[in-house]
Amino acid sequence: MKKILLASALLTSSVLMPVVAADYVIDTKGAHASINFQASHLGYSVLAGRFNEFSGNFSYDKDNIAASKVTVTIDTSSFDSNHAKRDKHVRSDDFLDVSKYAQATFVSNKVEDKGNGKLTITGDFTMHGVSKPLIIDAVKIGEGSDPWGGYRAGFSGTATIAMADFGFKKDFGKVDLILHIEGIRQ
């Protein structure tokens, strides 16, 4: 009888407990995530590239999107536009000043469900010693079991920053961020 009561209590408590968002680590080791950028180059073409080193995590619950959270840290010295001389210049104190500001961070403070897998992620982006609000328009790509016994969720998103907002010595206008994030549930 005690076993039946204990089993009933456990079952009842598990049904009544709120669902908690699952925690994910962004899969940078498997190269299943990227932080890309593009910006106008003198008004004549588009310069594209990426940050090669970053880490982060997120919490996600498809039944309670508002409980979701995202945190990302970018190694600014990993700036890569596929041109060594330009990369060295962008890493200098004219732009990123990586010797002084080795990291950029994003910490969400609100996630809104826009329907049909679309999300708006609002948070604080800190780069070059300056924090500014950033809005990421995101879309859920999918989620499910992977071939290695894990569980994954993936998203893509875009955001735009103005270089002038972050106090760079040189300002070439706006930079579009293109994000592809795949996380492994912990």
Side-chain angles (χ1 to χ4, degrees):
M1 184 68 169
K2 288 181 182 180
K3 288 182 182 178
I4 293 173
L5 289 175
L6 179 60
S8 294
L10 288 173
L11 181 59
T12 302
S13 67
S14 67
V15 170
L16 296 177
M17 293 180 82
V19 176
V20 177
D23 293 325
Y24 293 80
V25 169
I26 296 173
D27 185 11
T28 56
K29 290 181 184 177
H32 294 118
S34 63
I35 297 176
N36 308 289
F37 60 83
Q38 63 182 28
S40 173
H41 184 253
L42 305 173
Y44 304 126
S45 66
V46 174
L47 169 67
R50 60 183 281 145
F51 287 95
N52 292 321
E53 301 292 329
F54 62 96
S55 62
N57 54 62
F58 61 90
S59 295
Y60 176 74
D61 176 3
K62 64 184 173 187
D63 297 322
N64 186 9
I65 300 293
S68 301
K69 295 180 178 163
V70 181
T71 303
V72 176
T73 301
I74 302 167
D75 175 351
T76 56
S77 70
S78 72
F79 176 91
D80 182 357
S81 68
N82 199 33
H83 187 274
K85 188 174 179 181
R86 176 178 43 234
D87 294 350
K88 182 178 178 181
H89 184 214
V90 171
R91 292 180 191 132
S92 78
D93 66 351
D94 279 345
F95 296 101
L96 292 172
D97 198 359
V98 301
S99 64
K100 189 173 182 182
Y101 305 105
Q103 295 181 336
T105 59
F106 175 78
V107 178
S108 69
N109 50 41
K110 183 177 178 183
V111 179
E112 296 176 87
D113 185 356
K114 297 298 187 179
N116 294 326
K118 295 179 181 176
L119 309 168
T120 298
I121 304 167
T122 305
D124 295 315
F125 183 59
T126 302
M127 180 173 59
H128 202 251
V130 177
S131 292
K132 293 285 182 180
L134 181 69
I135 297 172
I136 300 171
D137 294 318
V139 62
K140 180 180 173 189
I141 303 300
E143 70 176 293
S145 299
D146 66 26
W148 308 281
Y151 192 88
R152 294 172 181 257
F155 303 85
S156 287
T158 58
T160 301
I161 61 171
M163 292 177 70
D165 288 347
F166 295 94
F168 295 126
K169 286 182 183 176
K170 301 210 179 219
D171 175 12
F172 292 117
K174 296 190 177 192
V175 177
D176 295 321
L177 301 173
I178 303 99
L179 315 164
H180 303 287
I181 304 297
E182 182 176 307
I184 304 168
R185 188 167 63 191
Q186 299 302 291

